[in-house]
Amino acid sequence: MGALGDLLSLIGTPLYYAISAVLVGWHWLFTTIGMNPDGGMTWALSIIGLTLVIRALLIPLFVKQIKSSRNMQLLQPKVRALQEKYKHDREKLAAETMNLYKETGTNPFASCLPLIVQMPIFITLFHLLNEASRDSVPHGFLNADLAASFGSATLFGSIPLAGSFWDYGVWRPEGELSVMLLALFLVLAMTATTFFTQRQLMAKNMPADAMSGPYAQQQKMLLYILPVAFGVGGVAFPIGVLLYWTTSNLWTMGQQFYVIRNNPAPGTPAFTAKEKRDAAKAARHGHAPAVAAGDTQVVEAPRPAQRQQPKRQTREQRRKQGNQSSQASSADADNNNGGS
């Protein structure tokens, strides 16, 4: 463990300071406005605040993930064409597929970036809470007093933030039903939000031709594998960590809903729905509505031109105009007589 331990310490120490700084900052804010510094709700809200800060910092990665996922969807017809062309040459297929991704600036692994970046944060928070609850071990800006407060904090008077379904349901036969119920609720919430986030992406923001092939199969597998994996592992997570992960999932679901609604991929149900909303909005403001996909444009018959009404004239103007007309008629008659 010598070299490996040094490496983990080198990576973990900056994370301990960064995460504890945000956590302690939120705790100071809630304490300043009058909340109990040792209360479980104060620390729970601090964990939620930590989650919001981390997810806000990860927005650029999320945007990159969305762009990569969209490019992967739109490239599926070309990928299938390559698979058909080089179906007997796997090396050539792999090379041509990577060239296609490179030419279009698509990174097939970018969709995992937010999850990969969050895992060290998740593990660090787990150790902060776990060690604070067991031995009041300080890390980073979480000093000994704050670590003791964090480790012993309870929700609703008897539910420790450091408690888990596994600890209270397996290792303690007498158990505490309230701890198990809250932990189970958060595990189910974490599992459900993971499922619906992935389901939302597949149902609304994937073109019909991208619903088949290896990429679609991968997405379908993730749709069921990820929630099950988080659900099984979640029974061993402390309530404070489950609170972080559930809040993060809710952020992801809302953020993805906003992006899909306002900037959907072409050829998807979300894109069709946005076109219809834009057409309805244009019609409400009196503009010519754009024709949404699948709709038939109704062409109105042209209206007849309105007859221009003559301008009103005074009696003097009408008399002068009459005299001029009479003189013109006399001149025409004389010309005709002269010509005959």
Side-chain angles (χ1 to χ4, degrees):
M1 286 294 292
L4 181 59
D6 292 342
L7 178 61
L8 293 176
S9 177
L10 181 64
I11 297 173
T13 299
L15 280 177
Y16 278 130
Y17 275 98
I19 292 174
S20 63
V22 179
L23 186 68
V24 170
W26 281 106
H27 181 265
W28 173 84
L29 176 63
F30 291 126
T31 301
T32 301
I33 62 176
M35 296 186 69
N36 180 9
D38 297 322
M41 188 58 66
T42 306
W43 283 110
L45 291 176
S46 300
I47 292 174
I48 293 175
L50 168 69
T51 310
L52 299 181
V53 170
I54 291 173
R55 292 314 308 264
L57 293 175
L58 291 179
I59 286 178
L61 282 182
F62 179 81
V63 173
K64 190 173 183 179
Q65 175 195 24
I66 288 292
K67 290 181 178 179
S68 177
S69 178
R70 176 179 297 180
N71 288 342
M72 289 289 291
Q73 295 167 17
L74 299 178
L75 286 177
Q76 287 311 296
K78 294 183 179 180
V79 171
R80 284 198 295 272
L82 290 176
Q83 291 170 347
E84 183 65 25
K85 184 177 181 180
Y86 301 108
K87 57 184 177 181
H88 299 300
D89 190 345
R90 292 184 175 274
E91 292 184 3
K92 185 67 173 176
L93 173 61
E96 291 297 325
T97 303
M98 292 307 297
N99 287 337
L100 177 63
Y101 291 154
K102 186 176 180 180
E103 290 172 1
T104 56
T106 302
N107 183 358
F109 303 105
S111 59
C112 301
L113 283 178
L115 180 63
I116 293 173
V117 172
Q118 281 194 90
M119 287 310 296
I121 300 170
F122 182 78
I123 294 171
T124 303
L125 180 62
F126 178 88
H127 281 289
L128 274 175
L129 184 55
N130 194 43
E131 296 185 12
S133 64
R134 291 185 177 181
D135 304 311
S136 299
V137 176
H139 286 288
F141 294 101
L142 194 72
N143 59 35
D145 292 337
L146 289 173
S149 173
F150 187 36
S152 60
T154 58
L155 287 170
F156 311 114
S158 61
I159 304 177
L161 282 176
S164 70
F165 182 90
W166 182 263
D167 287 340
Y168 281 81
V170 177
W171 300 114
R172 299 185 185 182
E174 69 280 4
E176 289 189 23
L177 185 60
S178 59
V179 178
M180 295 173 62
L181 288 177
L182 181 57
L184 182 61
F185 171 77
L186 290 174
V187 168
L188 292 177
M190 181 179 66
T191 303
T193 49
T194 302
F195 176 83
F196 284 115
T197 299
Q198 187 67 18
R199 177 63 180 166
Q200 178 180 241
L201 177 65
M202 294 183 62
K204 296 183 178 181
N205 207 40
M206 288 187 69
D209 56 1
M211 295 300 292
S212 60
Y215 181 73
Q217 295 302 320
Q218 176 189 358
Q219 295 298 311
K220 290 177 182 177
M221 288 177 61
L222 291 176
L223 177 63
Y224 297 102
I225 291 176
L226 282 180
V228 171
F230 287 131
V232 172
V235 296
F237 296 154
I239 288 174
V241 177
L242 290 175
L243 191 61
Y244 167 86
W245 201 254
T246 303
T247 306
S248 180
N249 281 359
L250 289 171
W251 174 290
T252 301
M253 191 163 60
Q255 188 172 244
Q256 184 173 269
F257 174 81
Y258 176 83
V259 172
I260 290 176
R261 178 179 173 83
N262 293 282
N263 192 21
T268 62
F271 188 83
T272 302
K274 185 176 185 301
E275 284 188 325
K276 291 182 179 180
R277 289 196 305 271
D278 291 345
K281 183 178 180 181
R284 287 196 301 269
H285 288 81
H287 301 300
V291 181
D295 291 348
T296 303
Q297 186 176 18
V298 178
V299 181
E300 295 183 358
R303 297 181 180 180
Q306 293 184 353
R307 183 177 178 182
Q308 187 174 3
Q309 298 295 328
K311 296 180 179 180
R312 299 188 64 177
Q313 296 178 336
T314 63
R315 183 179 299 177
E316 185 68 21
Q317 289 174 333
R318 288 197 297 272
R319 186 172 65 249
K320 288 183 179 180
Q321 186 175 3
N323 293 336
Q324 291 174 356
S325 299
S326 299
Q327 293 174 2
S329 299
S330 300
D332 291 340
D334 293 340
N335 291 335
N336 290 334
N337 292 332
S340 58

